[in-house]
Amino acid sequence: MKRIVLGCDEAAFEFKEEIKAHLESKGIEVIDMGVHDTNPSMYPETAITAAEYVRDGKADHGILMCGTGIGMAISANKVKGIRAAVAHDSFSIERSILSNNCQFVCFGARIIAPLYAKTLIDRWIELEFSNENSARKIACIDAYENGGDNDAANH
């Protein structure tokens, strides 16, 4: 069973609650990093804490939500080893795993309806990274992140 960490800001609090209930109804273990109300919050703190959970192996994947998903993705991607993508359509959700081995998907509560997000999440949790062509590209990203140059994966 997968463990999924959830995080949101105040703009996506109700959206997150719907996603949380959906995942729990499927028997998925959810780690809720908040926020827990609609009071103003600092989304980078939530995203970074959630990303650290995945980086440290305390969760397998994560779903982050804010008004657009963009700020959450930017924040999570600052955590070494984490790949997060905004994905509001089925092709992007599939490529986030199949081509990019993302640990996080990010949604904009002001962009996508919760019902459609649940459909995308159902597909997302079924996917596994296995693309040999993309593995070299991910290795290049990892090498750069670890201090190598932009061509590090080719050597």
Side-chain angles (χ1 to χ4, degrees):
M1 178 185 351
K2 291 185 177 185
R3 290 170 298 156
I4 297 179
V5 63
L6 298 181
C8 71
D9 69 359
E10 72 278 5
F13 167 70
E14 292 176 15
F15 187 94
K16 185 230 358 163
E17 291 299 306
E18 285 197 47
I19 300 304
K20 180 180 175 181
H22 178 71
L23 293 170
E24 289 175 338
S25 75
K26 295 181 168 294
I28 294 171
E29 181 181 347
V30 173
I31 303 165
D32 186 349
M33 304 300 294
V35 298
H36 303 288
D37 56 39
T38 58
N39 292 321
S41 63
M42 291 289 289
Y43 69 80
E45 294 173 356
T46 303
I48 290 168
T49 300
E52 289 173 342
Y53 253 65
V54 171
R55 178 201 62 199
D56 295 344
K58 297 176 185 173
D60 302 304
H61 290 92
I63 301 170
L64 297 169
M65 299 147 275
C66 61
T68 63
I70 296 169
M72 286 290 198
I74 291 169
S75 300
N77 280 317
K78 296 299 181 190
V79 175
K80 190 174 183 177
I82 295 299
R83 289 174 299 281
V86 176
H88 291 135
D89 61 82
S90 61
F91 187 72
S92 298
I93 206 87
E94 289 179 359
R95 300 327 309 168
S96 73
I97 297 287
L98 299 176
S99 295
N100 297 292
N101 199 18
C102 288
Q103 302 100 330
F104 279 85
V105 63
C106 303
F107 292 109
R110 295 178 177 143
I111 308 294
I112 186 170
L115 181 60
Y116 187 51
K118 292 174 198 174
T119 301
L120 294 176
I121 289 168
D122 288 347
R123 177 68 180 132
W124 181 71
I125 59 179
E126 296 172 348
L127 299 169
E128 297 286 337
F129 178 70
S130 64
N131 188 322
E132 290 298 321
N133 291 332
S134 293
R136 281 186 57 228
K137 296 169 188 169
I138 299 302
C140 182
I141 294 168
D142 290 345
Y144 182 77
E145 185 176 58
N146 289 312
D149 61 33
N150 196 23
D151 198 32
N154 294 322
H155 298 287

